[in-house]
Amino acid sequence: MDVAVRPLRVALVGNPNSGKTALFNALTGAHQKVANYAGVTVERKEGRVLAASGRSMSVLDLPGTYSLRARSPDEEVTRDAVLGRLVGEAVPDVIVAVADATNLRLVLRLILELKAVGRPMVLALNMYDIAQRQGLRIDLERLRAELGVPIVTTVATRRRGIEDLVAEIETAAGPGWTSGGETWTAPDAEAIREAHRRAEQIMRAAVRPPERPDTLTGRIDGVLLHPVIGLVVLMALLFVMFQAVFAWATPAMDAIEAGFGLIGAGVSAVVPDSGPVWPLVQSLIVDGVIAGVGGVLVFLPQIVILFAFIILLEDFGYMARAAFLMDRIMGGAGLHGRAFIPLLSSFACAIPGVMAARVIDAKRDRLTTIMVAPLMTCSARIPVYTLIIGAFIPQQTVWGFANLQGLVMFGLYAAGIVSALLVSFVIRKVFWRGAVEPFMMELPAYKTPDAKSVLLNLWIRARIFMERAARIILPLMILVWAASTFPYPPEGATQPAIDYSFAGMIGHALEPIFAPIGFNWQMVVALVPGMAAREVAVAALGTVYAIADVESAGSLLGATLAAQWSLATGLSFLAWYVFAPQCVATLGVVKRELNSWKWMWVMVVYMFALAYLASFATYRIAVALGGG
């Protein structure tokens, strides 16, 4: 294809917390896709934008970096993408350096490194409105002259400057630029010192301290970063988040459940229930597909609420401060302060949490973080927790304001956090010793989240969850249905049909192993497909119990479990899911991230051991207290 008509390849490069992803969203909107780079597990975000001239641009959002020296896997990907060294990635035509206008000191050195690569470049001076509000005086003409690159001021969250930036990118690319950067070499110590000196000179020449210092930020940080008050605020935010997961999601969950109920009833009315084949078809569609997928999607509102809190806190600029607050606690447990972000990401899903550990430079600190990340309560556990809590914990208010079910959910999350800290402490004491590296990071300016950006990010996460339901959960539920249906019971059989099926055989064979922790064979059957994805266990329980023809089969699954299980069994099941590594995808990412089968199997063994011991202790104590 001729270079004049092919899409321009544009790479966004910047420090963490520079608003780079917000700028990417403002440029590409919903026209973006998320994948991984070839051969690595670093997330790859690419989108399309159309210039006013009609020319198409392919925009790549590269991981945040402070330097092209690349001390972490994320930074290596950014460096190699800029230099055109990534397998399967085209050389960028234009580099857009994204800078936080309120904090230029660190990014200036990166810009000088990018200039040395020799590719056309544009500087996007982002969050310019905050810099103006703070009274920060930036001499744009002097800065442009000192750096030798065009500058566009932007406010990504308000889409200000986006059209100008697109036009400047097209101008910088010219009629056809195809080379440069092949001779770049990593700077030595003297070159780095010279870059520091040059960055300081540019800073003094082009940037003046604000006439109106942002005292509000200082006052807010005085509270949020206080060693005691700050932790209380953090715990309160987490408490509200888990209360909201239950209290706010109920109406939407009821609507989804009712919708799938109507769909199931409609299919039952249309598909005949007589003849040699039709009853089987009806069972497959209603009990396998609709009940299975619906039993998982009903929890989508809770997952969206959880993601909404995380995205909003990130956009406000609070996440970096939470990491700073947790540094002392995490350091005492042998974790690096930077581990807070990967562990917090693991609340949504352990996979991005494990991948986010790449921001930690030291190999041992990164390994420790990865080994404990799956202990954090991911969103896939929410369906299991919600089901069991709803079945065994009464819906009531305690202390005059708190939802009891929300309190139990908070306790389960807290159990995951405490266990992660304890395991990391043991890892540091048993496998290696030594001081944890000091934690240094830039605190971003507080900013108001952009509603469109938040909604876009929520939609992307919800879409990923629904695609997971279609791609993983649906096939698994069909397998569970088939295993629970075939073979048919023999002539004169007196037990429920599922007892004679493959699922019944597997469950009864493994039941003696799990009997000491209070699990019955139906629970064992649910654990097997749950290895692929934790939330599948909920749909599997629904399928197994519906086919088992128990008394409560016509009512909600929670009522069925409440009638069939003891309180001790329900609590034991919750304890199992706090620790058990029931997610093959996460284990695969751990193996790829660490390039080691050994550490993956260490994770499997220790987490299963913890799960069994925790369930055993929980079940026996609950029975002793009269919950059996």
Side-chain angles (χ1 to χ4, degrees), residues 607-625:
M607 290 188 73
F608 269 130
L610 281 180
Y612 198 94
L613 290 173
S615 293
F616 182 85
T618 301
Y619 181 70
R620 295 301 169 182
I621 292 172
V623 169
L625 295 176

Side-chain angles (χ1 to χ4, degrees), residues 33 163 244 248 307 376 378 431 433 554 574 608 619:
K33 57 183 179 180
E163 292 181 2
W248 299 356
F307 272 116
M376 310 305 283
C378 67
F431 291 102
R433 298 181 181 182
L574 284 177
F608 269 130
Y619 181 70

Side-chain angles (χ1 to χ4, degrees), residues 507-521 523-524 566 568-569 571-573 576 611-624:
H508 285 298
L510 296 177
E511 187 177 21
I513 299 175
F514 291 90
I517 62 175
F519 286 18
N520 57 31
W521 68 267
M523 298 166 71
V524 175
S566 67
T569 294
L571 295 177
S572 176
F573 198 65
W576 176 271
Y612 198 94
L613 290 173
S615 293
F616 182 85
T618 301
Y619 181 70
R620 295 301 169 182
I621 292 172
V623 169

Side-chain angles (χ1 to χ4, degrees), residues 319-522:
M319 284 300 194
R321 289 161 172 87
F324 177 81
L325 273 174
M326 293 297 293
D327 177 49
R328 181 175 298 179
I329 296 173
M330 298 178 74
L335 284 169
H336 192 276
R338 287 188 182 272
F340 178 77
I341 301 299
L343 295 185
L344 192 64
S345 299
S346 297
F347 279 135
C349 177
I351 291 174
V354 168
M355 294 190 296
R358 290 186 234 97
V359 302
I360 303 172
D361 298 334
K363 183 177 180 181
R364 289 181 173 182
D365 292 329
R366 186 161 63 246
L367 174 58
T368 304
T369 303
I370 289 173
M371 293 299 290
V372 302
L375 289 172
M376 310 305 283
T377 303
C378 67
S379 59
R381 289 180 172 101
I382 290 180
V384 179
Y385 287 176
T386 302
L387 174 68
I388 306 303
I389 290 172
F392 293 96
I393 306 301
Q395 174 74 26
Q396 65 185 54
T397 300
V398 295
W399 306 330
F401 67 93
N403 181 295
L404 180 59
Q405 293 181 337
L407 279 177
V408 174
M409 178 72 87
F410 181 75
L412 292 169
Y413 273 76
I417 296 170
V418 172
S419 62
L421 295 177
L422 290 175
V423 170
S424 65
F425 179 80
V426 172
I427 289 175
R428 294 286 299 193
K429 291 297 182 182
V430 173
F431 291 102
W432 47 75
R433 298 181 181 182
V436 179
E437 289 190 0
F439 176 43
M440 295 180 292
M441 71 180 302
E442 291 290 315
L443 294 181
Y446 290 108
K447 48 190 179 291
T448 304
D450 176 57
K452 289 184 179 179
S453 179
V454 171
L455 290 174
L456 177 61
N457 285 327
L458 277 179
W459 163 243
I460 291 172
R461 297 304 174 185
R463 186 182 67 195
I464 291 172
F465 180 78
M466 290 186 288
E467 289 173 352
R468 178 184 174 92
R471 189 178 67 255
I472 299 176
I473 297 172
L474 178 58
L476 282 173
M477 291 320 304
I478 293 175
L479 288 175
V480 171
W481 171 85
S484 303
T485 304
F486 302 106
Y488 290 127
E491 290 287 340
T494 58
Q495 298 297 319
I498 194 172
D499 281 28
Y500 304 95
S501 69
F502 292 120
M505 296 175 193
I506 294 172
H508 285 298
L510 296 177
E511 187 177 21
I513 299 175
F514 291 90
I517 62 175
F519 286 18
N520 57 31
W521 68 267
Q522 289 100 330

Side-chain angles (χ1 to χ4, degrees), residues 181-427:
E182 290 81 359
T183 59
W184 182 88
T185 55
D188 57 19
E190 179 55 37
I192 292 171
R193 284 193 291 269
E194 177 57 33
H196 273 297
R197 286 192 291 268
R198 180 67 181 135
E200 288 295 329
Q201 290 173 358
I202 296 173
M203 192 76 181
R204 287 193 298 269
V207 182
R208 293 289 183 270
E211 296 174 340
R212 301 179 301 278
D214 186 8
T215 55
L216 179 60
T217 295
R219 290 198 298 269
I220 295 174
D221 280 344
V223 175
L224 296 183
L225 298 181
H226 189 277
V228 177
I229 300 175
L231 284 175
V232 172
V233 172
L234 176 59
M235 292 300 107
L237 284 172
L238 293 176
F239 178 81
V240 170
M241 180 167 69
F242 301 133
Q243 288 285 307
V245 164
F246 266 95
W248 299 356
T250 301
M253 292 176 68
D254 291 342
I256 293 174
E257 190 172 34
F260 275 99
L262 289 174
I263 294 172
V267 171
S268 298
V270 172
V271 179
D273 58 359
S274 59
V277 176
W278 288 115
L280 197 63
V281 173
Q282 185 188 93
S283 176
L284 169 61
I285 298 174
V286 176
D287 299 326
V289 176
I290 296 175
V293 176
V296 174
L297 287 184
V298 71
F299 300 102
L300 179 61
Q302 292 182 316
I303 291 169
V304 168
I305 288 173
L306 180 66
F307 272 116
F309 270 93
I310 293 176
I311 291 169
L312 285 171
L313 291 176
E314 180 73 45
D315 287 357
F316 271 122
Y318 181 73
M319 284 300 194
R321 289 161 172 87
F324 177 81
L325 273 174
M326 293 297 293
D327 177 49
R328 181 175 298 179
I329 296 173
M330 298 178 74
L335 284 169
H336 192 276
R338 287 188 182 272
F340 178 77
I341 301 299
L343 295 185
L344 192 64
S345 299
S346 297
F347 279 135
C349 177
I351 291 174
V354 168
M355 294 190 296
R358 290 186 234 97
V359 302
I360 303 172
D361 298 334
K363 183 177 180 181
R364 289 181 173 182
D365 292 329
R366 186 161 63 246
L367 174 58
T368 304
T369 303
I370 289 173
M371 293 299 290
V372 302
L375 289 172
M376 310 305 283
T377 303
C378 67
S379 59
R381 289 180 172 101
I382 290 180
V384 179
Y385 287 176
T386 302
L387 174 68
I388 306 303
I389 290 172
F392 293 96
I393 306 301
Q395 174 74 26
Q396 65 185 54
T397 300
V398 295
W399 306 330
F401 67 93
N403 181 295
L404 180 59
Q405 293 181 337
L407 279 177
V408 174
M409 178 72 87
F410 181 75
L412 292 169
Y413 273 76
I417 296 170
V418 172
S419 62
L421 295 177
L422 290 175
V423 170
S424 65
F425 179 80
V426 172
I427 289 175

Side-chain angles (χ1 to χ4, degrees), residues 43-60:
E43 188 175 79
R44 181 186 187 279
K45 295 177 69 176
E46 183 178 9
R48 294 276 177 170
V49 61
L50 196 64
S53 66
R55 185 165 191 184
S56 177
M57 298 182 184
S58 177
V59 183
L60 193 62

